[in-house]
Amino acid sequence: MIQHILKFTLGLVLALSIGMGQEQTGRRLGDGKALEALNLTEEQKPKVQEIFAAQREALKDIRATGGGRQALKKVQDDTHAKLKEVLNEEQMKKYEELRKEMRGQMRRKR
């Protein structure tokens, strides 16, 4: 279960990474237009990239050290709190929808 969550989170982090093209980003998330769907402003893009870069590093540490569910939950909660400071209400709602969609896709793959 933790591996699935880590894969989802890392996929989302990579998908929202600003260095990727939107077509490639969409394929990662499976919906085709993740960045477009969030409608990030030019001011938000580097902030979101920084948040997900920090999350990516924290998840690498958890994976390397064999951290448990509690550590994973803390990283997710921290990321969510930081995103809430950057994204507006509509963007947060869309982000949550994308997360749920990815979870559903992961469950169907099992």
Side-chain angles (χ1 to χ4, degrees), residues 10-110:
L10 285 172
L12 188 58
V13 167
L14 292 173
L16 292 175
S17 175
I18 305 307
M20 296 175 67
Q22 288 183 355
E23 291 175 351
Q24 188 177 3
T25 299
R27 275 185 253 131
R28 293 263 186 194
L29 277 178
D31 84 344
K33 298 182 181 181
L35 290 176
E36 259 181 53
L38 288 178
N39 236 359
L40 296 175
T41 66
E42 290 304 313
E43 183 179 326
Q44 289 173 314
K45 286 177 183 179
K47 292 176 182 179
V48 169
Q49 183 180 19
E50 185 178 317
I51 291 167
F52 284 121
Q55 182 188 44
R56 187 171 45 250
E57 289 303 312
L59 292 172
K60 282 182 187 177
D61 290 344
I62 290 171
R63 184 178 261 174
T65 61
R69 211 172 269 200
Q70 203 170 16
L72 180 61
K73 175 92 170 103
K74 182 177 178 352
V75 170
Q76 290 176 333
D77 290 346
D78 289 349
T79 299
H80 191 268
K82 290 174 186 175
L83 284 172
K84 217 169 182 181
E85 292 175 11
V86 174
L87 302 179
N88 64 36
E89 191 175 323
E90 184 179 318
Q91 290 168 321
M92 259 326 267
K93 184 177 178 180
K94 186 63 180 178
Y95 169 74
E96 290 300 327
E97 289 172 10
L98 291 170
R99 284 184 61 194
K100 286 179 186 176
E101 183 180 318
M102 284 294 292
R103 282 187 204 148
Q105 289 175 1
M106 286 173 43
R107 285 186 182 124
R108 285 189 295 270
K109 287 182 180 180
R110 281 195 238 168

